[in-house]
mmCIF file with all atom_site columns, all heavy atoms in Angstrom:
data_model
loop_
_atom_site.group_PDB
_atom_site.id
_atom_site.type_symbol
_atom_site.label_atom_id
_atom_site.label_alt_id
_atom_site.label_comp_id
_atom_site.label_asym_id
_atom_site.label_entity_id
_atom_site.label_seq_id
_atom_site.pdbx_PDB_ins_code
_atom_site.Cartn_x
_atom_site.Cartn_y
_atom_site.Cartn_z
_atom_site.occupancy
_atom_site.B_iso_or_equiv
_atom_site.pdbx_formal_charge
_atom_site.auth_seq_id
_atom_site.auth_comp_id
_atom_site.auth_asym_id
_atom_site.auth_atom_id
_atom_site.pdbx_PDB_model_num
ATOM 1   N N   . TRP A 1 58  ? 33.358 -66.484 16.515 1.00 95.00 ? 233 TRP A N   1
ATOM 2   C CA  . TRP A 1 58  ? 32.770 -66.245 17.865 1.00 95.00 ? 233 TRP A CA  1
ATOM 3   C C   . TRP A 1 58  ? 33.317 -64.991 18.517 1.00 95.00 ? 233 TRP A C   1
ATOM 4   O O   . TRP A 1 58  ? 32.588 -64.192 19.118 1.00 95.00 ? 233 TRP A O   1
ATOM 5   C CB  . TRP A 1 58  ? 32.992 -67.477 18.748 1.00 95.00 ? 233 TRP A CB  1
ATOM 6   C CG  . TRP A 1 58  ? 32.377 -67.351 20.079 1.00 95.00 ? 233 TRP A CG  1
ATOM 7   C CD1 . TRP A 1 58  ? 31.076 -67.724 20.400 1.00 95.00 ? 233 TRP A CD1 1
ATOM 8   C CD2 . TRP A 1 58  ? 32.946 -66.841 21.244 1.00 95.00 ? 233 TRP A CD2 1
ATOM 9   N NE1 . TRP A 1 58  ? 30.828 -67.454 21.762 1.00 95.00 ? 233 TRP A NE1 1
ATOM 10  C CE2 . TRP A 1 58  ? 31.970 -66.930 22.274 1.00 95.00 ? 233 TRP A CE2 1
ATOM 11  C CE3 . TRP A 1 58  ? 34.181 -66.326 21.544 1.00 95.00 ? 233 TRP A CE3 1
ATOM 12  C CZ2 . TRP A 1 58  ? 32.209 -66.485 23.536 1.00 95.00 ? 233 TRP A CZ2 1
ATOM 13  C CZ3 . TRP A 1 58  ? 34.452 -65.883 22.871 1.00 95.00 ? 233 TRP A CZ3 1
ATOM 14  C CH2 . TRP A 1 58  ? 33.486 -65.944 23.847 1.00 95.00 ? 233 TRP A CH2 1
ATOM 15  N N   . ILE A 1 59  ? 34.638 -64.846 18.489 1.00 94.00 ? 234 ILE A N   1
ATOM 16  C CA  . ILE A 1 59  ? 35.245 -63.644 19.072 1.00 94.00 ? 234 ILE A CA  1
ATOM 17  C C   . ILE A 1 59  ? 34.760 -62.358 18.470 1.00 94.00 ? 234 ILE A C   1
ATOM 18  O O   . ILE A 1 59  ? 34.395 -61.398 19.072 1.00 94.00 ? 234 ILE A O   1
ATOM 19  C CB  . ILE A 1 59  ? 36.806 -63.720 19.002 1.00 94.00 ? 234 ILE A CB  1
ATOM 20  C CG1 . ILE A 1 59  ? 37.291 -64.917 19.849 1.00 94.00 ? 234 ILE A CG1 1
ATOM 21  C CG2 . ILE A 1 59  ? 37.451 -62.435 19.486 1.00 94.00 ? 234 ILE A CG2 1
ATOM 22  C CD1 . ILE A 1 59  ? 38.763 -65.207 19.626 1.00 94.00 ? 234 ILE A CD1 1
ATOM 23  N N   . PHE A 1 60  ? 34.723 -62.354 17.126 1.00 93.00 ? 235 PHE A N   1
ATOM 24  C CA  . PHE A 1 60  ? 34.283 -61.159 16.365 1.00 93.00 ? 235 PHE A CA  1
ATOM 25  C C   . PHE A 1 60  ? 32.822 -60.807 16.652 1.00 93.00 ? 235 PHE A C   1
ATOM 26  O O   . PHE A 1 60  ? 32.473 -59.697 16.895 1.00 93.00 ? 235 PHE A O   1
ATOM 27  C CB  . PHE A 1 60  ? 34.491 -61.410 14.839 1.00 93.00 ? 235 PHE A CB  1
ATOM 28  C CG  . PHE A 1 60  ? 34.281 -60.113 14.049 1.00 93.00 ? 235 PHE A CG  1
ATOM 29  C CD1 . PHE A 1 60  ? 35.306 -59.202 13.887 1.00 93.00 ? 235 PHE A CD1 1
ATOM 30  C CD2 . PHE A 1 60  ? 33.106 -59.882 13.455 1.00 93.00 ? 235 PHE A CD2 1
ATOM 31  C CE1 . PHE A 1 60  ? 35.082 -58.057 13.126 1.00 93.00 ? 235 PHE A CE1 1
ATOM 32  C CE2 . PHE A 1 60  ? 32.854 -58.763 12.672 1.00 93.00 ? 235 PHE A CE2 1
ATOM 33  C CZ  . PHE A 1 60  ? 33.866 -57.855 12.533 1.00 93.00 ? 235 PHE A CZ  1
ATOM 34  N N   . ALA A 1 61  ? 32.016 -61.861 16.691 1.00 94.00 ? 236 ALA A N   1
ATOM 35  C CA  . ALA A 1 61  ? 30.571 -61.668 16.944 1.00 94.00 ? 236 ALA A CA  1
ATOM 36  C C   . ALA A 1 61  ? 30.357 -61.168 18.399 1.00 94.00 ? 236 ALA A C   1
ATOM 37  O O   . ALA A 1 61  ? 29.536 -60.312 18.626 1.00 94.00 ? 236 ALA A O   1
ATOM 38  C CB  . ALA A 1 61  ? 29.822 -62.959 16.711 1.00 94.00 ? 236 ALA A CB  1
ATOM 39  N N   . ASN A 1 62  ? 31.096 -61.785 19.352 1.00 93.00 ? 237 ASN A N   1
ATOM 40  C CA  . ASN A 1 62  ? 30.967 -61.410 20.761 1.00 93.00 ? 237 ASN A CA  1
ATOM 41  C C   . ASN A 1 62  ? 31.425 -59.948 20.959 1.00 93.00 ? 237 ASN A C   1
ATOM 42  O O   . ASN A 1 62  ? 30.698 -59.155 21.605 1.00 93.00 ? 237 ASN A O   1
ATOM 43  C CB  . ASN A 1 62  ? 31.806 -62.329 21.611 1.00 93.00 ? 237 ASN A CB  1
ATOM 44  C CG  . ASN A 1 62  ? 31.582 -62.175 23.058 1.00 93.00 ? 237 ASN A CG  1
ATOM 45  O OD1 . ASN A 1 62  ? 31.860 -61.121 23.624 1.00 93.00 ? 237 ASN A OD1 1
ATOM 46  N ND2 . ASN A 1 62  ? 31.067 -63.196 23.704 1.00 93.00 ? 237 ASN A ND2 1
ATOM 47  N N   . MET A 1 63  ? 32.483 -59.582 20.382 1.00 92.00 ? 238 MET A N   1
ATOM 48  C CA  . MET A 1 63  ? 33.005 -58.205 20.567 1.00 92.00 ? 238 MET A CA  1
ATOM 49  C C   . MET A 1 63  ? 32.064 -57.198 19.903 1.00 92.00 ? 238 MET A C   1
ATOM 50  O O   . MET A 1 63  ? 31.787 -56.126 20.429 1.00 92.00 ? 238 MET A O   1
ATOM 51  C CB  . MET A 1 63  ? 34.449 -58.038 19.993 1.00 92.00 ? 238 MET A CB  1
ATOM 52  C CG  . MET A 1 63  ? 35.484 -58.851 20.717 1.00 92.00 ? 238 MET A CG  1
ATOM 53  S SD  . MET A 1 63  ? 37.097 -58.825 19.914 1.00 92.00 ? 238 MET A SD  1
ATOM 54  C CE  . MET A 1 63  ? 37.466 -57.071 19.879 1.00 92.00 ? 238 MET A CE  1
ATOM 55  N N   . THR A 1 64  ? 31.608 -57.535 18.740 1.00 92.00 ? 239 THR A N   1
ATOM 56  C CA  . THR A 1 64  ? 30.696 -56.587 17.986 1.00 92.00 ? 239 THR A CA  1
ATOM 57  C C   . THR A 1 64  ? 29.332 -56.487 18.802 1.00 92.00 ? 239 THR A C   1
ATOM 58  O O   . THR A 1 64  ? 28.820 -55.311 18.873 1.00 92.00 ? 239 THR A O   1
ATOM 59  C CB  . THR A 1 64  ? 30.429 -57.113 16.602 1.00 92.00 ? 239 THR A CB  1
ATOM 60  O OG1 . THR A 1 64  ? 31.676 -57.298 15.919 1.00 92.00 ? 239 THR A OG1 1
ATOM 61  C CG2 . THR A 1 64  ? 29.543 -56.170 15.786 1.00 92.00 ? 239 THR A CG2 1
ATOM 62  N N   . ALA A 1 65  ? 28.791 -57.596 19.243 1.00 92.00 ? 240 ALA A N   1
ATOM 63  C CA  . ALA A 1 65  ? 27.515 -57.508 19.980 1.00 92.00 ? 240 ALA A CA  1
ATOM 64  C C   . ALA A 1 65  ? 27.703 -56.674 21.267 1.00 92.00 ? 240 ALA A C   1
ATOM 65  O O   . ALA A 1 65  ? 26.858 -55.865 21.600 1.00 92.00 ? 240 ALA A O   1
ATOM 66  C CB  . ALA A 1 65  ? 27.044 -58.902 20.334 1.00 92.00 ? 240 ALA A CB  1
ATOM 67  N N   . ARG A 1 66  ? 28.819 -56.843 21.980 1.00 90.00 ? 241 ARG A N   1
ATOM 68  C CA  . ARG A 1 66  ? 29.054 -56.100 23.182 1.00 90.00 ? 241 ARG A CA  1
ATOM 69  C C   . ARG A 1 66  ? 29.253 -54.578 22.890 1.00 90.00 ? 241 ARG A C   1
ATOM 70  O O   . ARG A 1 66  ? 28.876 -53.691 23.643 1.00 90.00 ? 241 ARG A O   1
ATOM 71  C CB  . ARG A 1 66  ? 30.248 -56.645 23.958 1.00 90.00 ? 241 ARG A CB  1
ATOM 72  C CG  . ARG A 1 66  ? 30.042 -58.057 24.511 1.00 90.00 ? 241 ARG A CG  1
ATOM 73  C CD  . ARG A 1 66  ? 31.187 -58.494 25.402 1.00 90.00 ? 241 ARG A CD  1
ATOM 74  N NE  . ARG A 1 66  ? 31.184 -57.727 26.636 1.00 90.00 ? 241 ARG A NE  1
ATOM 75  C CZ  . ARG A 1 66  ? 31.997 -56.782 26.964 1.00 90.00 ? 241 ARG A CZ  1
ATOM 76  N NH1 . ARG A 1 66  ? 32.947 -56.411 26.124 1.00 90.00 ? 241 ARG A NH1 1
ATOM 77  N NH2 . ARG A 1 66  ? 31.951 -56.144 28.143 1.00 90.00 ? 241 ARG A NH2 1
ATOM 78  N N   . PHE A 1 67  ? 29.925 -54.330 21.731 1.00 88.00 ? 242 PHE A N   1
ATOM 79  C CA  . PHE A 1 67  ? 30.156 -52.916 21.411 1.00 88.00 ? 242 PHE A CA  1
ATOM 80  C C   . PHE A 1 67  ? 28.822 -52.232 21.088 1.00 88.00 ? 242 PHE A C   1
ATOM 81  O O   . PHE A 1 67  ? 28.608 -51.079 21.502 1.00 88.00 ? 242 PHE A O   1
ATOM 82  C CB  . PHE A 1 67  ? 31.056 -52.855 20.195 1.00 88.00 ? 242 PHE A CB  1
ATOM 83  C CG  . PHE A 1 67  ? 31.420 -51.465 19.785 1.00 88.00 ? 242 PHE A CG  1
ATOM 84  C CD1 . PHE A 1 67  ? 32.329 -50.708 20.425 1.00 88.00 ? 242 PHE A CD1 1
ATOM 85  C CD2 . PHE A 1 67  ? 30.763 -50.878 18.665 1.00 88.00 ? 242 PHE A CD2 1
ATOM 86  C CE1 . PHE A 1 67  ? 32.625 -49.373 20.059 1.00 88.00 ? 242 PHE A CE1 1
ATOM 87  C CE2 . PHE A 1 67  ? 31.052 -49.586 18.255 1.00 88.00 ? 242 PHE A CE2 1
ATOM 88  C CZ  . PHE A 1 67  ? 32.027 -48.895 18.935 1.00 88.00 ? 242 PHE A CZ  1
ATOM 89  N N   . PHE A 1 68  ? 27.891 -52.911 20.345 1.00 89.00 ? 243 PHE A N   1
ATOM 90  C CA  . PHE A 1 68  ? 26.579 -52.262 20.079 1.00 89.00 ? 243 PHE A CA  1
ATOM 91  C C   . PHE A 1 68  ? 25.734 -52.187 21.294 1.00 89.00 ? 243 PHE A C   1
ATOM 92  O O   . PHE A 1 68  ? 24.843 -51.371 21.403 1.00 89.00 ? 243 PHE A O   1
ATOM 93  C CB  . PHE A 1 68  ? 25.915 -53.059 18.977 1.00 89.00 ? 243 PHE A CB  1
ATOM 94  C CG  . PHE A 1 68  ? 26.411 -52.760 17.616 1.00 89.00 ? 243 PHE A CG  1
ATOM 95  C CD1 . PHE A 1 68  ? 27.021 -53.782 16.889 1.00 89.00 ? 243 PHE A CD1 1
ATOM 96  C CD2 . PHE A 1 68  ? 26.209 -51.500 16.993 1.00 89.00 ? 243 PHE A CD2 1
ATOM 97  C CE1 . PHE A 1 68  ? 27.610 -53.461 15.562 1.00 89.00 ? 243 PHE A CE1 1
ATOM 98  C CE2 . PHE A 1 68  ? 26.683 -51.262 15.747 1.00 89.00 ? 243 PHE A CE2 1
ATOM 99  C CZ  . PHE A 1 68  ? 27.380 -52.222 14.990 1.00 89.00 ? 243 PHE A CZ  1
ATOM 100 N N   . SER A 1 69  ? 25.947 -53.054 22.211 1.00 88.00 ? 244 SER A N   1
ATOM 101 C CA  . SER A 1 69  ? 25.108 -53.093 23.461 1.00 88.00 ? 244 SER A CA  1
ATOM 102 C C   . SER A 1 69  ? 25.572 -52.112 24.471 1.00 88.00 ? 244 SER A C   1
ATOM 103 O O   . SER A 1 69  ? 24.760 -51.398 25.152 1.00 88.00 ? 244 SER A O   1
ATOM 104 C CB  . SER A 1 69  ? 25.061 -54.483 24.051 1.00 88.00 ? 244 SER A CB  1
ATOM 105 O OG  . SER A 1 69  ? 24.600 -55.458 23.215 1.00 88.00 ? 244 SER A OG  1
ATOM 106 N N   . PHE A 1 70  ? 26.937 -52.015 24.691 1.00 85.00 ? 245 PHE A N   1
ATOM 107 C CA  . PHE A 1 70  ? 27.422 -51.164 25.779 1.00 85.00 ? 245 PHE A CA  1
ATOM 108 C C   . PHE A 1 70  ? 28.256 -49.951 25.297 1.00 85.00 ? 245 PHE A C   1
ATOM 109 O O   . PHE A 1 70  ? 28.719 -49.141 26.095 1.00 85.00 ? 245 PHE A O   1
ATOM 110 C CB  . PHE A 1 70  ? 28.317 -51.975 26.744 1.00 85.00 ? 245 PHE A CB  1
ATOM 111 C CG  . PHE A 1 70  ? 27.568 -53.179 27.286 1.00 85.00 ? 245 PHE A CG  1
ATOM 112 C CD1 . PHE A 1 70  ? 27.877 -54.505 26.796 1.00 85.00 ? 245 PHE A CD1 1
ATOM 113 C CD2 . PHE A 1 70  ? 26.702 -53.032 28.262 1.00 85.00 ? 245 PHE A CD2 1
ATOM 114 C CE1 . PHE A 1 70  ? 27.198 -55.596 27.322 1.00 85.00 ? 245 PHE A CE1 1
ATOM 115 C CE2 . PHE A 1 70  ? 26.028 -54.101 28.791 1.00 85.00 ? 245 PHE A CE2 1
ATOM 116 C CZ  . PHE A 1 70  ? 26.260 -55.407 28.362 1.00 85.00 ? 245 PHE A CZ  1
ATOM 117 N N   . GLY A 1 71  ? 28.453 -49.870 23.977 1.00 82.00 ? 246 GLY A N   1
ATOM 118 C CA  . GLY A 1 71  ? 29.214 -48.733 23.417 1.00 82.00 ? 246 GLY A CA  1
ATOM 119 C C   . GLY A 1 71  ? 30.704 -48.828 23.817 1.00 82.00 ? 246 GLY A C   1
ATOM 120 O O   . GLY A 1 71  ? 31.269 -49.882 23.862 1.00 82.00 ? 246 GLY A O   1
ATOM 121 N N   . ALA A 1 74  ? 32.341 -51.216 26.501 1.00 82.00 ? 249 ALA A N   1
ATOM 122 C CA  . ALA A 1 74  ? 32.626 -52.596 26.167 1.00 82.00 ? 249 ALA A CA  1
ATOM 123 C C   . ALA A 1 74  ? 34.087 -52.841 25.986 1.00 82.00 ? 249 ALA A C   1
ATOM 124 O O   . ALA A 1 74  ? 34.569 -54.008 26.102 1.00 82.00 ? 249 ALA A O   1
ATOM 125 C CB  . ALA A 1 74  ? 31.789 -53.089 24.943 1.00 82.00 ? 249 ALA A CB  1
ATOM 126 N N   . TYR A 1 143 ? 40.408 -56.936 17.365 1.00 93.00 ? 318 TYR A N   1
ATOM 127 C CA  . TYR A 1 143 ? 39.643 -56.771 16.134 1.00 93.00 ? 318 TYR A CA  1
ATOM 128 C C   . TYR A 1 143 ? 40.528 -57.040 14.877 1.00 93.00 ? 318 TYR A C   1
ATOM 129 O O   . TYR A 1 143 ? 40.112 -57.723 13.978 1.00 93.00 ? 318 TYR A O   1
ATOM 130 C CB  . TYR A 1 143 ? 39.045 -55.412 16.019 1.00 93.00 ? 318 TYR A CB  1
ATOM 131 C CG  . TYR A 1 143 ? 37.575 -55.357 16.383 1.00 93.00 ? 318 TYR A CG  1
ATOM 132 C CD1 . TYR A 1 143 ? 37.104 -54.561 17.425 1.00 93.00 ? 318 TYR A CD1 1
ATOM 133 C CD2 . TYR A 1 143 ? 36.623 -56.106 15.691 1.00 93.00 ? 318 TYR A CD2 1
ATOM 134 C CE1 . TYR A 1 143 ? 35.718 -54.529 17.785 1.00 93.00 ? 318 TYR A CE1 1
ATOM 135 C CE2 . TYR A 1 143 ? 35.257 -56.081 15.984 1.00 93.00 ? 318 TYR A CE2 1
ATOM 136 C CZ  . TYR A 1 143 ? 34.833 -55.307 17.069 1.00 93.00 ? 318 TYR A CZ  1
ATOM 137 O OH  . TYR A 1 143 ? 33.509 -55.245 17.371 1.00 93.00 ? 318 TYR A OH  1
#
Side-chain angles (χ1 to χ4, degrees):
W233 182 87
I234 295 171
F235 188 85
N237 188 297
M238 292 175 60
T239 304
R241 295 188 69 256
F242 181 78
F243 282 112
S244 300
F245 304 105
Y318 258 121

